Amino acid sequence: MNQKVLKIENLSVGFERRGGVEQVTHKVSLSVSQGETLALVGESGSGKSVTANAILRLLPARAAHYLEGGIQFGDVNTLTCSMRQLRGIRGGKIGMIFQEPMVSLNPLHPVGRQLVETLSIHRGLRQKQAESKAVAWLEKVGIRNPEQKISVYPHELSGGERQRVMIAMALINEPELLIADEPTTALDVSVQAQILDLLKALQQEFGMAMLFITHDLSIVRKIADRVAVMQQGRLVETNDTATLFSAPEHPYTRQLIDSDPKGGPVPVRPDAGTLLEAEHLKVWFAIRSGVFRRVKDYVRAVTNVGFDLKEGHTIGIVGESGSGKSTTGMAVLRLVHSEGMIRYQDKELQHLDRKGMLPFRSRMQVVFQDPFSALNPRMSVAQVIGEGLLVHQELSQADAEARICQVMEEVGLDPGTRHRYPNEFSGGQRQRIAIARALILKPKFILLDEPTSSLDRTVQAQVLALLKSLQQKYGLSYLFISHDLNVVKSICHYTIVMRQGQIVEQGNTGQLFSAPQHPYTQELVSLSSVSRFL
C-alpha cells in the first residue's frame, strides 16, 4: 500500500464575523496517498477550498481560526509548524493550481520570470539554469514556442495557455503533493480534456499525490481514484470512484449525481414564425501598426454566419474559446460593429442608428456568463432589476416596485430581499437576478451567453429548469451560447457548431449529437460524454 502523503484529521475552521467566530468546516478527516488522486467535491460554500487552503495556511491570517484538528504532511503539522518551514513546503513540496490563473499570475511580470522566481527560491538555481528549466517545463506542459512564450505576459496568453503556465509553476519543483482547486472550470471541453490528460501524465511521471477540487462530477469520473463529498462544511461520504457513482450512500451524493442536465427542450409549435434572422454575418477587427496606424491585417472573429430563430425556439451555439460564439451574439444585438443582414420581426436592424435601435432594446435582452461582474455592486437588487424600466417605460414608483416584486417571484427570489446588494447573494441567486433584469421588460428574445458555466451542477439544473419554464410561459426565443454540450442538448432545439469564426456544422440538436458529421463536432461530442444522455 502506498504511503500516505497528506492526512487531515478532524479539521474545523472558522472565520471572524460580527459577534464572534462562525465555524465553516466541521471535523473534516481525509488522506491522500502517494500516486493517488482524491477528488474533493461539493457545491460552492461546502468548504472544499477552505479545506484545501488550510493545508498551506493560505486563509486570511487575521480572520481565519483553526479551531481544532491537525494537518500532517509527512512528519510536519502544517498548522503548527514555523513560517520558515511552511515557506519551504509551499511551492516546493506542495504545489497548488488555483481556479483563475489571471488572478494568480502576476500581470506585471513575464511568465518566465515568475517560473524562474520559484526555482531560485526553492532550488537555488542561477538565472541561466532557471531559465533553461523554465523553457523545458513550458514545453513539457504543451506550450508552443516556449522560447518565445517565456517572455510574454499573462494577458497575452489564451485561457488554456495560462492554465498550463499555472501547472508548470506548481510542478516545476516536482512536489510530493499537488492541490488543484477547480483548475478546469472556465475552460472549453477540448482544452479541459487536454489539461486533465496533462495532469494525469505528469502525476504518473513523478508519482505525486493529487487533491483535485471540483464541482463537476464528469471530471471526477475521468481523473479520480477516490472521492470525498462535502456538504455545508462536513464530509458526508468518501469512497472509491466506481463505487461512489454506482452505489452512492448519502442523499446529497445522490443529488449531485442526479443533477446532470436531463430532458430535452420545451415543446414548440410547428407553425411558429421567424423572430430573428442573420445572414452573411461578418465581424473582423482591424490590426493596426506603425506611426500612421495603418491596417496590416484583421482578426477574423466571425465570417459568413447565418441562422433563423423561430418564436419559442432555442438555438445553441457551441465551440471552443475564440470560435466566435460570443461575438456572434454581440453582433446580433448590435453591440459590436458587423456586416451582413440582421432582421428582427421583418425589420432590418443593421442600418439603424442608436435612436432607431432604442425600441428594439427592450425586446432583445441579454444574460451574461458571470453575474457578479455583470451586476452593479453599488446598486440594490431592486435598482438593478428595475433599471431598464427607467429607460424604456414610464411607470409610477409604486407600479415599478410591483413589477420588480412580481418578476423576482417568477424567477424564484424573495421580493423581501430586493433592497439587498448583489454581493449578499449566492452565484445561482445572482444569475436569477440577471434573468429577472432581462425579463422585466417582457422581451421576446434573450441572448444567454454561458449563463450556467460558472454554477454548480445542482444550481445549474435549477437555472435551466427556470429558463425552460419561462420560455414555455412567455414563448421566449433564446440564442444559447455554451461550451457544455450536455446543457445545450437539454435546452436547445437547433445547434450551430463554430470554429475559428465559421460554422462547421449545424442541425437539429438530437440528430447533430447522435450522428455528428464534422471531425470537430465528433471530437466535442466524444469529449463531453454527451452520449451518456442520448
Side-chain angles (χ1 to χ4, degrees):
M1 186 175 178
N2 288 342
Q3 180 182 357
K4 283 185 170 52
V5 175
L6 177 74
K7 192 173 182 181
I8 301 175
E9 292 184 320
N10 297 321
L11 178 66
S12 295
V13 178
F15 289 93
E16 281 192 15
R17 300 284 190 260
R18 290 180 181 178
V21 175
E22 179 187 349
Q23 190 170 341
V24 293
T25 67
H26 305 264
K27 294 183 179 296
V28 174
S29 296
L30 54 85
S31 63
V32 193
S33 300
Q34 184 180 0
E36 179 189 41
T37 298
L38 173 69
L40 188 58
V41 304
E43 296 173 293
S44 295
S46 63
K48 306 186 305 292
S49 294
V50 169
T51 301
N53 284 312
I55 295 169
L56 292 172
R57 285 180 12 214
L58 295 175
L59 298 172
R62 293 184 179 180
H65 291 261
Y66 302 98
L67 303 175
E68 63 176 313
I71 300 176
Q72 203 71 23
F73 175 72
D75 58 356
V76 177
N77 186 335
T78 62
L79 293 185
T80 58
C81 69
S82 68
M83 283 305 299
R84 184 176 181 180
Q85 276 183 298
L86 195 59
R87 281 193 291 268
I89 293 172
R90 288 174 176 171
K93 296 182 178 180
I94 299 180
M96 191 156 186
I97 304 170
F98 296 96
Q99 180 174 353
E100 181 44 71
M102 274 302 283
V103 175
S104 306
L105 296 173
N106 191 327
L108 302 177
H109 296 307
V111 296
R113 181 173 173 180
Q114 298 181 57
L115 290 167
V116 166
E117 183 181 30
T118 187
L119 286 168
S120 63
I121 290 172
H122 294 285
R123 294 290 186 89
L125 297 185
R126 295 182 178 180
Q127 183 73 17
K128 287 189 177 180
Q129 289 177 302
E131 286 180 358
S132 177
K133 194 171 182 69
V135 170
W137 263 94
L138 287 180
E139 185 175 15
K140 185 185 284 287
V141 299
I143 297 286
R144 296 177 183 175
N145 304 316
E147 295 85 358
Q148 298 174 5
K149 293 291 176 69
I150 199 169
S151 60
V152 306
Y153 291 83
H155 72 271
E156 298 179 275
L157 299 172
S158 69
E161 286 176 323
R162 285 194 292 267
Q163 200 61 285
R164 289 172 187 270
V165 170
M166 283 293 299
I167 292 170
M169 191 174 297
L171 298 183
I172 199 166
N173 290 303
E174 300 177 18
E176 298 172 38
L177 171 68
L178 174 67
I179 302 171
D181 190 358
E182 300 273 14
T184 60
T185 296
L187 301 179
D188 305 316
V189 64
S190 54
V191 179
Q192 184 184 89
Q194 295 166 17
I195 295 297
L196 292 177
D197 288 343
L198 173 63
L199 286 173
K200 288 166 71 175
L202 292 172
Q203 181 185 31
Q204 193 168 14
E205 181 179 348
F206 297 109
M208 65 184 177
M210 181 156 61
L211 179 62
F212 195 98
I213 299 160
T214 184
H215 64 257
D216 190 338
L217 296 186
S218 63
I219 292 175
V220 174
R221 292 175 188 266
K222 298 173 186 175
I223 200 168
D225 300 302
R226 288 191 304 123
V227 185
V229 182
M230 288 192 74
Q231 181 188 26
Q232 296 177 353
R234 289 179 169 82
L235 207 59
V236 297
E237 186 170 355
T238 304
N239 217 326
D240 66 87
T241 304
T243 303
L244 185 131
F245 278 98
S246 61
E249 296 177 359
H250 196 276
Y252 179 66
T253 309
R254 291 196 291 270
Q255 181 188 351
L256 288 178
I257 293 172
D258 291 341
S259 293
D260 280 320
K262 292 182 177 65
V266 302
V268 291
R269 298 195 335 265
D271 60 341
T274 299
L275 179 75
L276 179 69
E277 298 172 81
E279 290 181 7
H280 307 298
L281 210 58
K282 172 181 169 182
V283 183
W284 287 15
F285 299 105
I287 301 173
R288 302 177 183 273
S289 63
V291 177
F292 298 104
R293 309 298 295 160
R294 292 194 176 99
V295 176
K296 298 295 183 182
D297 202 352
Y298 292 90
V299 175
R300 294 162 174 80
V302 173
T303 302
N304 197 31
V305 168
F307 58 84
D308 291 348
L309 176 60
K310 295 184 180 298
E311 294 175 351
H313 285 62
T314 302
I315 291 180
I317 304 182
V318 302
E320 60 195 2
S321 290
S323 62
K325 307 186 301 293
S326 294
T327 304
T328 299
M330 294 299 102
V332 166
L333 291 177
R334 296 282 316 279
L335 296 177
V336 296
H337 176 72
S338 65
E339 297 178 16
M341 187 274 291
I342 303 168
R343 184 181 293 121
Y344 180 85
Q345 290 182 326
D346 296 326
K347 177 67 175 180
E348 174 63 53
L349 304 183
Q350 193 66 279
H351 305 297
L352 295 179
D353 58 16
R354 184 176 179 181
K355 185 178 180 180
M357 274 297 299
L358 193 60
F360 294 93
R361 292 294 181 206
S362 62
R363 304 179 218 169
M364 305 169 71
Q365 289 292 298
V366 59
V367 175
F368 293 102
Q369 176 177 355
D370 182 6
F372 193 71
S373 59
L375 304 178
N376 190 327
R378 298 186 178 185
M379 295 171 67
S380 69
V381 166
Q383 291 171 322
V384 167
I385 294 173
E387 188 177 17
L389 296 176
L390 298 176
V391 177
H392 295 284
Q393 298 181 17
E394 294 184 7
L395 297 177
S396 67
Q397 186 173 348
D399 288 342
E401 195 83 2
R403 278 276 287 276
I404 291 166
C405 292
Q406 179 190 0
V407 77
M408 287 185 72
E409 287 179 345
E410 282 194 295
V411 300
L413 293 170
D414 178 7
T417 64
R418 65 188 182 279
H419 300 302
R420 296 181 186 175
Y421 289 83
N423 67 299
E424 299 179 70
F425 293 82
S426 68
Q429 288 172 322
R430 285 197 290 265
Q431 198 59 288
R432 290 173 185 268
I433 293 168
I435 294 169
R437 178 175 62 179
L439 199 64
I440 199 168
L441 292 171
K442 300 182 179 179
K444 297 302 292 180
F445 166 75
I446 300 180
L447 169 65
L448 299 161
D449 191 356
E450 301 272 15
T452 63
S453 64
S454 62
L455 304 177
D456 301 321
R457 283 292 185 186
T458 51
V459 179
Q460 182 185 84
Q462 294 166 13
V463 171
L464 286 174
L466 171 64
L467 290 171
K468 288 183 186 181
S469 68
L470 292 172
Q471 182 174 38
Q472 204 159 13
K473 184 176 181 180
Y474 294 110
L476 297 171
S477 300
Y478 296 145
L479 189 62
F480 194 98
I481 296 169
S482 180
H483 63 257
D484 189 332
L485 269 62
N486 294 319
V487 170
V488 168
K489 182 181 180 295
S490 75
I491 195 170
C492 298
H493 303 90
Y494 191 88
T495 299
I496 294 169
V497 182
M498 291 188 68
R499 191 179 194 190
Q500 297 176 349
Q502 296 181 308
I503 295 175
V504 297
E505 189 169 354
Q506 58 183 311
N508 175 275
T509 300
Q511 293 173 1
L512 187 140
F513 286 168
S514 60
Q517 301 300 308
H518 194 275
Y520 179 64
T521 312
Q522 292 169 357
E523 178 189 1
L524 290 180
V525 170
S526 64
L527 290 173
S528 69
S529 302
V530 73
S531 56
R532 284 192 295 125
F533 304 101
L534 294 172

